[in-house]
Amino acid sequence: MMAFILLFGLVVLPFVASQLVGLASGVSRRAAALSAGAAMLGGLLILAGLAPTVFAGEVLVVTLPWLPEWGLDLSLRLDGLGLLFVLLIDGIGLLIVLYAYYYMEDDDQLGRFYLYLLAFAGGMLGLVLAENLLLMLLFWEITSLTSFLLVAYKFKDKEARIAARMALGVTGAGGLALMAGLILLGQMAGSYALSDVLLAGDTIRADPRYPLMLVLVLLGAFTKSAQFPFHSWLPGAMAAPTPASAYLHSATMVKAGVFLLARLYPALSGTDLWFYIVTGVGAVTFLFGAFFALLRHDFKGLLAYSTISHLGLIVLLLGLSTPMAPVAAVFHIINHAVFKASLFMVAGIVDHEAGTRDMRRLSGLRRTMPRTTTLAVLAAGAMAGVPFLNGFLSKEMFFAESIGLPGALAWAMPAIATIGGVLAVGYSARFIADVFLGPPPTTLDRIPHEPPRFMRVPVEILVGIVVVVGLLPQLAVKPLLAIASTAVLGAPVPPLDLAIWHGFNLPLIMSIVALGGGLYYFSRREIVFRIADRFGDGISSRVAFERFYNGLAIGSRAVLAAIDGFSLRQNLALFLLFTLVLGLSAWWGAGNALLGPLGVGDMDVATMFAAATMLAAVAGVVVLHRQRLVALVALSLAGVVVALLFVWAAAPDLALTQLSVEVASIILLLLMMRFLPIDATPETGAAATREAARRLPDAAIALAAGAGAGALVLAMLSRPFDTISAWHIANSVDGGGGTNIVNVILVDFRGFDTMGEVAVLGMAALGIQAMLGGIALPGRVARGADGRSLAPPVMLKMLVQPLLPLLLAAAVFIFLRGHNMPGGGFVAGLIVAVALVMQFVARGIAFAEARLRQDMTRVLGVGLAICLITGLVPLAFGRNFLTSTHGYLAGLHLASAALFDLGIMIVVVASLVLALVSLGRLSQASER
């Protein structure tokens, strides 16, 4: 139970804290930073409590059934690989929170940044801890959406919007491919549980669907980790604030793809297809990113392309499938996260203090920023693979694994590794030389200086790790590397020797060549620049993406215009015709008679009268549709008849609901009619001719649809069928604690459905409020078509004054009796809403708002929170979501579902008042 609470708490904590940060930001920047930092630190403390179990060799798996029929459970898994990534996500995240506090300006809305950052961290934690493939996919998409928000943080900047759209487009497309691939993988393995999938490697590789599944999964991983040719989104994402870049592009976002490859390694690797695709793409990306990194004049662009290169290196290692290659990949995941996060922070410090990221304007900053220079040299040295720093060790392992491959790879792979090492030294040397060495800068708008003390602390911590791991790898990183590699391999890790000196061997020679060749390459960089300037003037990937995006949008609009005339009549006709064809094909294919064995019962006089009244009301709506008020009266008559039919059928709950909905709907329509002429103007000329031509086809479609619906009802009612009503009747009292079966079904047996419905109702109300909030109609429309004032009569004002307390008392009565007698939260909410809205209608918007000061959006949130908390509490007792309990307290029988019903009532009240009052405010705004 404790492991269950801690693991789920690890994932939920950032999401909860993101909301607290939003509140804390209203207090101060410091409060927001403390809240965000506490969330990251809390995650590390939870991990510290779970780590001893994982280091002992155990895999923690906790499961909460969610949708088991679909193979989707809330299952979390903590093994060595998950522990490593949680440490990176929360550890570097904590440093980013501190760094961002000093980096972000006062007008940068720091609270909003922390909110996005924590939401992204929660998505990453869910991704790396997911035990279920479908749950992993869910969190995968959360990271895509939240990273979009981080990249587009400065949304007023056009470049940020383009970059965010590009990142979401590329990774979103990869997510669709991954969804298909993971669904196939689960079907091939016979389970979506990761534990089962990892044990079914032989079955998966032998399945004929393996090639298709592998390509789809790899597309998802490659787009997320910016592998060639899907790399272009990452350099554009440098439009994000530097703290976001340091987090996304060192330890989290771009590592999600390589995490996926590492997580599924035991199940998918070991085939030629895996080797050639993964190794090939990784090698091309490794060299491509390293070459273009040197050509970037923006040092964040240099770091972006170097990230692409290092990600390619990790992917290449995972593709080699030699015994130690995955270990080297995991080691470089650790090392790259540390030195790249520190380098991005150094880049942010330089940008913050010098006011530019253009290396052509920078030089000689070592004179004014000596401490920052020292940190930058050490971090860049690790990126280049300089001895005694952490990057050197994983680079040496990479060189060692590139040796001894069969065939042409025996020389090709060492050559690729060495060339990549040369390029890495070259761009690392440029970062240091062009920014920190040379003469003092002369074109800057300000004099650079060291940053605030605590802004440099995160960099110092990370660079300290770089040095400690480089000097003492056996003590500093070996245990963590061993358990993480064991999880990737699915087997015990080979013996690890993380010594700094392995003798004079071929990997050492390759390192010497890379260091010497890289410095020479850097010294001749002007030649490379001239070649790139001459042949590299083609269209940029960002412009190409925008052109593709705009072309796709134009094409979509053209297709939509061709098939959709934006006509409600046309859409309704197509829908009805499709339904008719579908129903007729099903009936024709079954070959059964229309009537079943039960026949048709006799109709009594009351039923016939109700049916005739309803037909007359509907006919009146059709015939008198131009006389809007008369048509509305006829429509309300049809609603009343339906309510009476429910009463006749002994369904008082449905009758109460129908009447309440009918009253609220009529008030809504009456408010809308305020902005319309009383009578609709008939069409004339060509429009009248078109209307006359449509009448016969429209009548035919309407009659056919009505006849089809009637035939379907007749066919169903004349056949025997089984229901589950007997189960509900038998379990209503013992299982739900109430004798009103309808209410027990809504708030207990099918409470999850109701939870979704009230959430949709709330979203609809917020949508209406947002849609109508910016509209201002002309005064003539607000006063009516004839210019007369539409103020309500005095009698209505006098009537609603005593009506309010009576309706509120009736609502309380209906709510309290709802679990055992007809009523409940939904009907009570409708009654309260009608009582309040009538005050707006009769007394005016200003009068009512002056007395109803509550912000209905907050009330809506309170109602949804009550519903959610009522559902979550049973989880703490090992029960399913929304499981209710009941019993006696002081002789009074109480059910916990009543709290859920209270939340429903509050949501209904807030939603209807929001929607209906928005129309009143529209009128008020129009009259000003």
Side-chain angles (χ1 to χ4, degrees):
M1 176 58 71
M2 183 55 67
F4 177 91
I5 295 174
L6 291 178
L7 268 181
F8 274 95
L10 198 58
V11 176
V12 172
L13 179 60
F15 293 110
V16 175
S18 67
Q19 305 308 308
L20 297 178
V21 164
L23 297 175
S25 63
V27 178
S28 67
R29 284 168 51 92
R30 184 182 297 273
L34 289 174
S35 301
M40 298 293 188
L41 181 60
L44 291 174
L45 293 176
I46 293 174
L47 184 66
L50 298 171
T53 304
V54 179
F55 276 102
E58 296 185 35
V59 177
L60 293 173
V61 177
V62 297
T63 301
L64 178 66
W66 186 12
L67 298 172
E69 294 81 3
W70 292 1
L72 178 57
D73 293 321
L74 293 176
S75 302
L76 299 179
R77 169 194 184 94
L78 182 65
D79 56 8
L81 184 64
L83 185 145
L84 166 62
F85 271 87
V86 172
L87 183 62
L88 294 176
I89 293 165
D90 278 334
I92 294 181
L94 179 61
L95 300 178
I96 293 294
V97 169
L98 175 60
Y99 177 81
Y101 178 75
Y102 292 95
Y103 179 87
M104 306 291 280
E105 302 292 341
D106 290 341
D107 57 351
D108 278 342
Q109 294 182 312
L110 184 63
R112 180 165 64 90
F113 175 79
Y114 284 146
L115 189 152
Y116 295 163
L117 187 77
L118 287 171
F120 175 79
M124 279 298 304
L125 289 169
L127 171 63
V128 302
L129 293 176
E131 158 68 4
N132 185 280
L133 292 179
L134 300 179
L135 186 64
M136 181 187 293
L137 178 66
L138 174 65
F139 283 111
W140 181 280
E141 294 304 318
I142 289 175
T143 62
S144 294
L145 293 173
T146 49
S147 65
F148 167 82
L149 294 174
L150 285 169
V151 175
Y153 181 76
K154 297 181 179 179
F155 56 88
K156 295 181 180 179
D157 183 0
K158 181 180 179 181
E159 297 297 322
R161 297 197 302 271
I162 293 174
R165 190 161 58 227
M166 187 175 182
L168 183 62
V170 175
T171 58
L176 292 175
L178 179 64
M179 178 176 66
L182 291 182
I183 290 174
L184 272 177
L185 179 59
Q187 292 178 349
M188 293 160 64
S191 172
Y192 288 101
L194 191 60
S195 299
D196 298 331
V197 172
L198 297 180
L199 294 176
D202 293 336
T203 302
I204 293 169
R205 288 184 286 268
D207 194 291
R209 295 170 291 178
Y210 171 78
L212 174 61
M213 178 275 301
L214 181 63
V215 169
L216 292 171
V217 171
L218 292 180
L219 281 173
F222 291 163
T223 52
K224 200 79 160 184
S225 285
Q227 298 299 286
F228 182 88
F230 310 109
H231 65 282
S232 55
W233 68 266
L234 197 153
M238 294 302 107
T242 298
S245 299
Y247 195 51
L248 297 178
H249 306 136
S250 63
T252 54
M253 171 74 168
V254 295
K255 289 296 197 304
V258 294
F259 168 81
L260 181 68
L261 297 180
R263 174 57 83 200
L264 298 178
Y265 184 85
L268 303 185
S269 66
T271 64
D272 289 342
L273 187 62
W274 168 276
F275 173 82
Y276 287 115
I277 294 179
V278 179
T279 303
V281 171
V284 171
T285 307
F286 174 50
L287 297 179
F288 176 88
F291 175 75
F292 280 96
L294 183 74
L295 303 180
R296 301 301 99 184
H297 299 304
D298 176 357
F299 50 65
K300 277 187 73 174
L302 182 151
L303 294 177
Y305 274 95
S306 73
T307 298
I308 293 172
S309 177
H310 283 274
L311 291 170
L313 187 156
I314 296 169
V315 170
L316 189 158
L317 284 167
L318 289 170
L320 287 179
S321 299
T322 59
M324 284 297 293
V327 181
V330 173
F331 195 15
H332 200 66
I333 288 173
I334 301 171
N335 293 336
H336 176 260
V338 174
F339 68 67
K340 187 55 62 71
S342 62
L343 282 169
F344 270 114
M345 291 186 197
V346 167
I349 289 173
V350 173
D351 185 20
H352 190 269
E353 304 304 330
T356 182
R357 300 189 330 219
D358 191 339
M359 289 185 286
R360 293 168 296 187
R361 297 180 58 197
L362 293 167
S363 66
L365 295 188
R366 72 183 189 281
R367 294 176 174 84
T368 55
M369 305 174 69
R371 295 183 178 87
T372 302
T373 301
T374 302
L375 297 172
V377 168
L378 291 172
M383 181 168 65
V386 174
F388 307 113
L389 300 172
N390 66 349
F392 172 77
L393 299 173
S394 52
K395 185 196 67 174
E396 286 285 290
M397 292 181 70
F398 168 47
F399 285 168
E401 293 308 306
S402 68
I403 300 169
L405 296 175
L409 292 174
W411 61 268
M413 194 56 65
I416 290 171
T418 305
I419 294 171
V422 169
L423 297 174
V425 173
Y427 62 68
S428 301
R430 186 188 180 194
F431 178 73
I432 296 301
D434 285 9
V435 176
F436 298 100
L437 305 182
T442 58
T443 61
L444 298 182
D445 299 329
R446 66 184 76 165
I447 299 176
H449 56 79
E450 290 287 1
R453 176 71 186 88
F454 285 99
M455 186 178 181
R456 204 172 55 240
V457 166
V459 188
E460 293 170 345
I461 293 173
L462 291 170
V463 172
I465 295 173
V466 165
V467 175
V468 171
V469 171
L471 295 175
L472 302 170
Q474 292 284 113
L475 296 176
V477 77
K478 182 179 179 180
L480 178 61
L481 177 60
I483 61 168
S485 300
T486 299
V488 174
L489 293 170
V493 68
L496 289 176
D497 184 11
L498 300 181
I500 300 174
W501 175 255
H502 290 281
F504 193 80
N505 52 20
L506 186 54
L508 181 61
I509 296 174
M510 294 166 67
S511 293
I512 295 172
V513 171
L515 286 170
L519 293 175
Y520 177 77
Y521 174 65
F522 166 71
S523 69
R524 310 296 291 177
R525 64 190 182 280
E526 295 300 332
I527 299 175
V528 181
F529 291 162
R530 286 197 295 270
I531 295 174
D533 290 340
R534 182 176 180 182
F535 298 103
D537 290 335
I539 188 171
S540 70
S541 56
R542 183 174 56 192
V543 173
F545 176 83
E546 277 300 292
R547 290 184 179 177
F548 171 76
Y549 176 85
N550 291 331
L552 195 64
I554 292 171
S556 299
R557 285 194 291 268
V559 172
L560 184 62
I563 64 175
D564 184 3
F566 300 99
S567 166
L568 181 61
R569 173 200 163 273
Q570 177 182 319
N571 291 338
L572 185 60
L574 289 174
F575 171 75
L576 293 176
L577 287 172
F578 174 78
T579 306
L580 280 170
V581 171
L582 189 65
L584 287 173
S585 62
W587 174 71
W588 189 271
N592 293 324
L594 178 62
L595 292 178
L598 298 183
V600 181
D602 295 331
M603 294 181 63
D604 55 23
V605 176
T607 306
M608 295 177 65
F609 177 77
T613 305
M614 188 178 298
L615 286 173
V618 173
V621 173
V622 174
V623 174
L624 303 174
H625 69 279
R626 296 192 186 281
Q627 302 175 39
R628 293 193 170 103
L629 189 58
V630 177
L632 184 59
V633 172
L635 187 64
S636 65
L637 178 60
V640 171
V641 172
V642 171
L644 293 175
L645 284 174
F646 285 141
V647 173
W648 176 82
D653 274 285
L654 298 180
L656 273 174
T657 304
Q658 172 65 25
L659 281 174
S660 303
V661 170
E662 193 66 30
V663 172
S665 301
I666 292 300
I667 293 174
L668 174 63
L669 292 173
L670 283 172
L671 286 173
M672 293 174 63
M673 285 181 63
R674 178 183 178 89
F675 309 108
L676 298 172
I678 296 177
D679 295 330
T681 305
E683 287 83 357
T684 58
T689 304
R690 288 194 299 269
E691 182 184 13
R694 289 199 301 255
R695 284 176 183 168
L696 186 59
D698 288 352
I701 294 174
L703 289 173
L712 179 62
V713 172
L714 190 62
M716 291 178 59
L717 295 180
S718 62
R719 285 171 169 79
F721 57 90
D722 296 326
T723 71
I724 60 172
S725 58
W727 186 90
H728 287 137
I729 294 171
N731 290 275
S732 177
V733 175
D734 294 335
T739 57
N740 182 1
I741 302 171
V742 173
N743 184 262
V744 171
I745 291 173
L746 291 175
V747 301
D748 192 330
F749 296 153
R750 297 183 64 89
F752 201 85
D753 291 346
T754 307
M755 180 73 193
E757 290 163 2
V758 295
V760 170
L761 179 62
M763 287 189 288
L766 293 175
I768 292 172
Q769 183 191 39
M771 181 176 65
L772 298 181
I775 298 177
L777 297 177
R780 180 185 62 81
V781 176
R783 291 188 298 271
D786 55 2
R788 292 181 292 106
S789 173
L790 298 181
V794 176
M795 286 297 295
L796 181 60
K797 293 181 180 180
M798 300 301 296
L799 178 64
V800 298
Q801 191 168 358
L803 195 62
L804 177 63
L806 291 176
L807 287 177
L808 292 180
V812 172
F813 174 72
I814 290 291
F815 171 75
L816 292 177
R817 75 197 297 261
H819 210 54
N820 293 288
M821 299 289 287
F826 186 79
V827 176
L830 287 172
I831 295 173
V832 173
V834 168
L836 294 176
V837 170
M838 286 301 297
Q839 302 300 311
F840 284 84
V841 173
R843 309 301 295 271
I845 187 78
F847 175 87
E849 282 195 325
R851 288 154 180 79
L852 186 66
R853 299 185 180 91
Q854 288 76 14
D855 182 355
M856 281 298 157
T857 56
R858 294 180 181 272
V859 175
L860 177 63
V862 170
L864 289 172
I866 292 174
C867 293
L868 183 61
I869 293 171
T870 307
L872 292 175
V873 168
L875 299 180
F877 298 92
R879 307 295 295 275
N880 291 333
F881 182 75
L882 273 175
T883 300
S884 66
T885 184
H886 58 91
Y888 286 89
L889 180 64
L892 183 65
H893 186 258
L894 299 174
S896 62
L899 292 175
F900 184 68
D901 216 11
L902 175 63
I904 294 172
M905 185 181 77
I906 294 174
V907 170
V908 171
V909 171
S911 299
L912 283 179
V913 172
L914 267 177
L916 297 177
V917 170
S918 295
L919 286 171
R921 286 176 178 161
L922 177 61
S923 171
Q924 186 184 43
S926 302
E927 292 174 349
R928 283 198 292 264

